[in-house]
Amino acid sequence: MEASWLSIIPFLLVIPIAMYTRQVLPGLIVGLLVGSYLANPSLLGGIQTMLTYVVEALIDENNIKIIVFLYAFSGLVGIIKTSGGIKGFVEAASEKVVNKKQALILTYISTIGTFSAPTFRFVTIAPIMKALLKKVKMSTKELGFVIETTATPVIVLIPVATAFVGYMVSVIQISVENEGSSLDPYDLFIRSIPFNFFAFVIILLGIYLSFFHHSQTDAPTEIKDEEPEEDWHNCHPSVSLDLPNKPWNLIIPIILVISLTLFLTWWDGRGEGVNFFQAFIKADVLQAMVVALVITVLLSMIFFLFQRFELSNLIDSFILGGNELMSVIVLLSVVWGLSSVTDDLGLSSFVTENIGWIPHMFLTPLLFLFGAAISYFIGSAWGAWGILMPLGVSLSFAADVNLPLVIGAVFASGSFGAFSSPLSDDTNTIAKILGLTVIDYAHFKLKPALIAAAITAVLYTVIPFLL
């Protein structure tokens, strides 16, 4: 479509409204509504057009698969919780861990089995570390920081079997489609992973703090020796004393979903003249992930039924778990609609014609810093990705900047906010489990997060000269 400055208006509304309300969804809805009225300026035309954009997004085959994946994944976590899988894992691990080194090693090694979602990581690792806090000889804030560096920063780098991957591929897909490109979104996601510099830097900072940094305190700063020790079973419903103690109910489903995803991905991409690694590139990965997840849910249900869990309780747990991601599914639907309407208004052409004055070497670091500010003030990585990815991809095509680099920068900017913002789910969840004040804990994390962000910005400035 012909370039029009009107195409930028929805984004000019989305960002300040999201930052002011500290909620992503209101800004996105306003942006979509205004964009729809710009596309169809009549009394009811804007509302009708907005509905059309959302419905068209929801009936897209790949988008439906993403919604099924997100809901089913969250539902699987729900039945794992109810069956005592998380509690059992925590109980088993806490009995074997007796000192700081063992606890920290467990924190990193356990990522292999609990990388599916940040909250999943927190409720499996934080209670163990909390129970050992007096032995670990770290401040509670330092402990929270180390645990968080093994959550979102790690998960955004994993290309299969996470709650993030479907959403991340989706925002890439809608963005490249808006540019009229047929590039494979999953392939772009894989190629962008090495360029998520913030994730790598903050993980390294976490490792440094874990094994090489000596705290000024020899005991926890937030828990005094004379205070009665709180039972860690009270820190989160997933490890409640009321739940059964069955660690294999966590381990087996996780092994299943990872193994099936890898196998079905290879199976889908295999063919004559295609080697093992090429099969993963050629495969319909989203299809493989959804099928693997559905099979895992069904087999897990059967496995739990043999343990005499009631079917009605398992179904209720699955639905309750899935419903926890309904807000994300709504968010994603609006993001799809907003991307479509701005594309129809000529966003790509507008960006192409109006970025010539910015030196290309600064586009990627500026995009990262801008996105980091947005994600910090709205407290949502997913919201920042949904807002910025269409703009970032348009900038990449317009300025001929390496596309995986730009995509990596957008994902890095959201990772910054999820890690450092006092409004993020990560910050609030870990603070609640460890008994910290949210604002104090977020303030403690901000300095290392800003150091990591500064290093990241420098890398985005330097790396393009090496590509």
Side-chain angles (χ1 to χ4, degrees), residues 8-334:
I8 202 70
I9 289 179
F11 288 107
L12 295 178
L13 293 171
V14 168
I15 294 169
I17 291 174
M19 294 173 70
Y20 176 75
T21 62
R22 298 187 175 184
Q23 297 287 327
V24 182
L25 194 56
L28 289 170
I29 291 175
V30 170
L32 175 57
L33 182 61
V34 170
S36 298
Y37 268 104
L38 290 173
N40 189 356
S42 63
L43 182 61
L44 296 177
I47 297 291
Q48 293 170 341
T49 300
M50 180 175 73
L51 181 61
T52 299
Y53 278 117
V54 173
V55 170
E56 287 180 350
L58 290 174
I59 63 176
D60 179 85
E61 181 182 356
N62 283 333
N63 292 350
I64 286 291
K65 289 178 183 177
I66 289 165
I67 291 173
V68 170
F69 176 84
L70 292 173
Y71 194 93
F73 188 92
S74 191
L76 176 63
V77 173
I79 61 174
I80 289 173
K81 290 177 184 176
T82 298
S83 66
I86 294 176
K87 184 202 171 185
F89 178 85
V90 173
E91 290 276 11
S94 61
E95 292 173 1
K96 299 182 182 299
V97 176
V98 295
N99 58 47
K100 174 181 177 179
K101 184 177 181 180
Q102 289 177 346
L104 290 173
I105 290 174
L106 174 67
T107 299
Y108 285 94
I109 292 178
S110 66
T111 306
I112 297 170
T114 59
F115 61 76
S116 299
T119 303
F120 205 19
R121 288 281 299 137
F122 298 150
V123 300
T124 52
I125 291 304
I128 299 172
M129 300 291 278
K130 183 178 183 181
L132 297 168
L133 196 53
K134 286 185 170 61
K135 299 177 184 177
V136 169
K137 301 296 183 184
M138 293 177 79
S139 77
T140 318
K141 292 175 183 176
E142 286 177 316
L143 177 60
F145 177 88
V146 170
I147 293 172
E148 273 204 79
T149 60
T150 66
T152 295
V154 172
I155 294 168
V156 295
L157 303 177
I158 297 174
V160 294
T162 76
F164 281 40
V165 63
Y167 183 90
M168 296 171 83
V169 172
S170 175
V171 294
I172 296 173
Q173 177 184 338
I174 189 67
S175 301
V176 296
E177 286 179 352
N178 287 350
E179 298 299 315
S181 171
S182 59
L183 291 171
D184 182 87
Y186 185 78
D187 179 57
L188 287 172
F189 170 56
I190 296 292
R191 290 163 56 197
S192 75
I193 289 174
F195 298 118
N196 191 336
F197 296 137
F198 178 81
F200 288 108
V201 173
I202 204 70
I203 289 169
L204 291 174
L205 280 177
I207 293 172
Y208 166 75
L209 184 59
S210 297
F211 299 104
F212 305 104
H213 174 74
H214 298 288
S215 173
Q216 293 181 350
T217 59
D218 292 327
T221 56
E222 283 75 39
I223 298 180
K224 307 298 182 184
D225 289 337
E226 64 270 14
E227 293 179 356
E229 186 174 344
E230 182 184 358
D231 187 350
W232 57 263
H233 292 90
N234 298 322
C235 73
H236 197 276
S238 296
V239 292
S240 170
L241 279 170
D242 298 333
L243 293 173
N245 188 0
K246 296 180 179 290
W248 287 105
N249 287 355
L250 165 65
I251 296 169
I252 289 177
I254 292 299
I255 292 174
L256 266 176
V257 73
I258 295 172
S259 303
L260 284 170
T261 298
L262 293 174
F263 172 75
L264 292 174
T265 301
W266 168 80
W267 184 265
D268 185 80
R270 81 196 193 290
E272 187 176 349
V274 177
N275 64 37
F276 180 79
F277 294 104
Q278 288 173 335
F280 285 88
I281 300 298
K282 291 180 173 293
D284 183 346
V285 183
L286 179 59
Q287 173 80 5
M289 288 194 301
V290 173
V291 173
L293 183 57
V294 171
I295 294 173
T296 300
V297 170
L298 294 175
L299 293 178
S300 298
M301 284 278 196
I302 294 170
F303 178 55
F304 298 153
L305 287 173
F306 273 112
Q307 299 175 47
R308 302 195 175 182
F309 286 98
E310 292 185 9
L311 179 61
S312 59
N313 288 341
L314 293 176
I315 292 173
D316 288 344
S317 299
F318 179 85
I319 293 172
L320 288 172
N323 287 346
E324 289 183 5
L325 274 191
M326 282 307 298
S327 60
V328 172
I329 292 170
V330 172
L331 171 70
L332 191 50
S333 303
V334 179

Side-chain angles (χ1 to χ4, degrees), residues 22-24 74 117-123 126 144 147-148 151-153 155 163-164 235-236 323-329 331 375-383 385 414-434 436 438 441-442 445:
R22 298 187 175 184
Q23 297 287 327
V24 182
S74 191
T119 303
F120 205 19
R121 288 281 299 137
F122 298 150
V123 300
I147 293 172
E148 273 204 79
T152 295
I155 294 168
F164 281 40
C235 73
H236 197 276
N323 287 346
E324 289 183 5
L325 274 191
M326 282 307 298
S327 60
V328 172
I329 292 170
L331 171 70
S375 65
Y376 180 84
F377 285 107
I378 65 178
S380 170
W382 290 29
W385 296 338
S415 303
F416 172 85
F419 181 86
S420 62
S421 174
L423 301 174
S424 78
D425 290 341
D426 290 11
T427 300
N428 283 269
T429 300
I430 200 72
K432 181 179 179 181
I433 292 175
L434 295 180
L436 293 167
V438 172
Y441 174 55
K445 292 190 298 176

